[in-house]
Amino acid sequence: MEDGVLKEGFLVKRGHIVHNWKVRWFILRQNTLVYYKLEGGRRVTPPKGRILLDGCTITCPCLEYENRPLLIKLKTQTSTEYFLEACSREERDAWAFEITGAIHAGQPGKVQQLHSLRNSFKLPPHISLHRIVDKMHDSNTGIRSSPNMEQGSTYKKTFLGSSLVDWLISNSFTASRLEAVTLASMLMEENFLRPVGVRSMGAIRSGDLAEQFLDDSTALYTFAESYKKKISPKEEISLSTVELSGTVVKQGYLAKQGHKRKNWKVRRFVLRKDPAFLHYYDPSKEENRPVGGFSLRGSLVSALEDNGVPTGVKGNVQGNLFKVITKDDTHYYIQASSKAERAEWIEAIKKLT
C-alpha cells in the first residue's frame, strides 16, 4: 500500500445522476475516500471523485436496497449520499470499520469501541444462517409471527426483538443475550430479516454500529420477502442448482478477460466446494445470479509472468495475472489487485482441482 493508505480495493458505487451501479477502485486515507475508474486492469487518473470524511455519517448495514444487502451508506456534511457495495459481509464490515475509524480518528473512545465490536461473537463454522432461518420457519418449534401494534399501527406477521433473542438462546444457537443480538444482526445484515415500524427502523437509521438490532419488546421485525422468493424454472436457464449448492470457500472482486470481445471487466467471483465450482457475477446487476462459471475438477491454475503482457492476454494488461484452464481446455485470464491476493486465489483453487 502507498503511504497513508488505510484500505484499498473494489467497491460497487451507485451513480449520483443516473442510479446505475459501477465498480470503482477505492482508496481510503485519514480524511478522504477517493475512487477511480479502471481500464485495462489499471486505475485511470485523475480520480473519478472523492468523498470528504470530515463530519460524515456512516450507516452499516444499509437496508435501502432489498437486492443489495451488503451496502454501506455515507452521508457527507453537505448531505450528499453515497451507496457502496462490498462483495461479502466480512469485506463490508472491514470497510465500515476502517471508514468509521477514519471519521472518528480524533475520538479514541469511539475507536476503542469499534475494536471491541470487531472482536465480538462469531458464528460457529458448523452452523449456517440458512439453517437458523429454516428452523425459525418451523411450524412447531419456530419463532411465532403474529399481528403487533406500534404507535397505533398494526403490523401483520411480526415478532419482537426480545422474543427472537429468547428464541436463539433457547435453541442453543447462542449462550448470552449479547451473542444473540449479534447473531440477529447478522441475520438482518444478510437480508433474512428486516425491521418493521418506527422503533426498529430508527435503530437502523441511527447508523450506530453498536446497536443495529434491538433486544426490546417494543421493536418489531419480520422475515424479509427475499427469503420467500422462488426462482422460476425459466430463470434457471442452464444453471444447475447443484452447481450453486456447495459451501462458499472464498469470494471477492477480480478483473476477467472476456471470451469474445477480450475486454476486461470486474466481476464478483465466488469459489465453492462440494461440488467445486468457480462462478462469477456482474456486480452492476441487481439479480444475484452468476453470468458464468465452470467446474474446477481437472482444472489447472497458474500465475502468469509479471514482466510484460503474457501470451493470450489482450490489451496492455499486466501484473498480478493468473490463468485457469478447465478440463475442456477453456482458458480464463484473471487479474487480482495484488500479488498476495493472486497467491491466495491460486492456493484456494488448487485445493479444489
Side-chain angles (χ1 to χ4, degrees):
M1 281 193 187
E2 299 168 17
D3 287 344
V5 173
L6 301 173
K7 187 171 176 62
E8 62 181 321
F10 288 117
L11 291 169
V12 184
K13 177 185 165 293
R14 191 195 75 171
H16 281 305
I17 301 167
V18 179
H19 287 180
N20 53 358
W21 297 81
K22 292 189 176 177
V23 178
R24 296 289 183 245
W25 182 262
F26 280 78
I27 296 179
L28 174 66
R29 289 189 170 86
Q30 201 61 65
N31 55 354
T32 58
L33 185 59
V34 181
Y35 52 96
Y36 297 82
K37 185 179 178 181
L38 257 78
E39 284 182 3
R42 296 181 178 186
R43 67 184 190 220
V44 178
T45 53
K48 193 81 175 156
R50 66 180 67 238
I51 303 168
L52 296 176
L53 296 178
D54 185 35
C56 217
T57 58
I58 180 170
T59 303
C60 179
C62 170
L63 304 180
E64 294 189 28
Y65 286 85
E66 184 182 343
N67 293 327
R68 293 184 181 273
L70 300 173
L71 284 179
I72 296 168
K73 177 181 171 183
L74 295 175
K75 190 172 184 178
T76 67
Q77 270 189 326
T78 57
S79 295
T80 304
E81 293 181 341
Y82 293 88
F83 293 88
L84 311 175
E85 184 181 39
C87 62
S88 67
R89 185 171 58 80
E90 292 78 13
E91 187 65 11
R92 182 206 58 199
D93 290 351
W95 272 104
F97 179 83
E98 295 293 351
I99 293 170
T100 307
I103 292 170
H104 298 286
Q107 301 171 264
K110 184 72 177 179
V111 176
Q112 183 59 42
Q113 181 193 23
L114 289 167
H115 276 285
S116 63
L117 276 170
R118 197 177 197 191
N119 297 320
S120 62
F121 166 74
K122 294 208 182 326
L123 190 66
H126 64 281
I127 297 177
S128 73
L129 294 181
H130 282 277
R131 182 189 151 202
I132 294 171
V133 177
D134 284 338
K135 195 160 184 181
M136 287 173 69
H137 275 282
D138 189 287
S139 56
N140 297 318
T141 60
I143 185 104
R144 305 283 180 187
S145 294
S146 60
N148 283 286
M149 186 172 284
E150 184 193 26
Q151 295 188 7
S153 299
T154 301
Y155 299 93
K156 296 179 181 178
K157 294 184 178 179
T158 56
F159 43 85
L160 309 178
S162 55
S163 299
L164 178 55
V165 169
D166 292 340
W167 184 89
L168 290 169
I169 294 170
S170 65
N171 282 272
S172 303
F173 288 118
T174 60
S176 68
R177 299 195 79 80
L178 180 61
E179 287 186 357
V181 167
T182 306
L183 180 51
S185 297
M186 287 182 187
L187 291 166
M188 197 162 59
E189 289 166 18
E190 296 296 339
N191 216 27
F192 290 113
L193 306 178
R194 64 181 177 86
V196 176
V198 177
R199 185 90 171 84
S200 55
M201 286 300 293
I204 291 294
R205 292 196 185 99
S206 74
D208 186 354
L209 288 171
E211 258 195 298
Q212 294 289 350
F213 183 90
L214 297 179
D215 178 9
D216 194 307
S217 59
T218 62
L220 302 180
Y221 298 88
T222 189
F223 291 108
E225 288 301 312
S226 60
Y227 178 77
K228 301 172 187 174
K229 286 178 182 173
K230 302 290 182 186
I231 297 173
S232 69
K234 215 178 255 186
E235 284 180 309
E236 288 186 37
I237 310 175
S238 61
L239 277 176
S240 161
T241 50
V242 177
E243 282 185 28
L244 301 171
S245 66
T247 305
V248 174
V249 175
K250 186 173 178 60
Q251 56 185 322
Y253 293 124
L254 298 167
K256 174 189 163 291
Q257 180 175 278
H259 284 298
K260 293 175 182 175
R261 293 176 58 193
K262 308 296 182 187
N263 54 348
W264 286 81
K265 289 188 177 177
V266 175
R267 297 290 184 236
R268 179 170 68 90
F269 278 77
V270 178
L271 179 64
R272 294 180 173 89
K273 68 174 183 178
D274 303 324
F277 272 85
L278 184 61
H279 292 98
Y280 47 95
Y281 299 71
D282 183 347
S284 67
K285 304 294 183 193
E286 287 283 323
E287 63 270 15
N288 189 30
R289 294 179 59 250
V291 293
F294 49 90
S295 170
L296 290 173
R297 182 169 297 209
S299 295
L300 298 172
V301 58
S302 60
L304 299 177
E305 65 269 20
D306 287 326
N307 297 323
V309 180
T311 305
V313 173
K314 303 299 179 185
N316 189 26
V317 178
Q318 50 189 298
N320 309 320
L321 291 159
F322 64 98
K323 177 169 69 171
V324 180
I325 305 174
T326 65
K327 195 175 179 180
D328 64 0
D329 201 36
T330 303
H331 293 224
Y332 289 86
Y333 294 94
I334 300 168
Q335 185 182 42
S337 58
S338 67
K339 286 183 180 179
E341 186 183 45
R342 175 176 67 180
E344 287 172 11
W345 273 100
I346 289 173
E347 184 182 357
I349 292 169
K350 275 184 176 175
K351 287 179 181 176
L352 302 179
T353 58

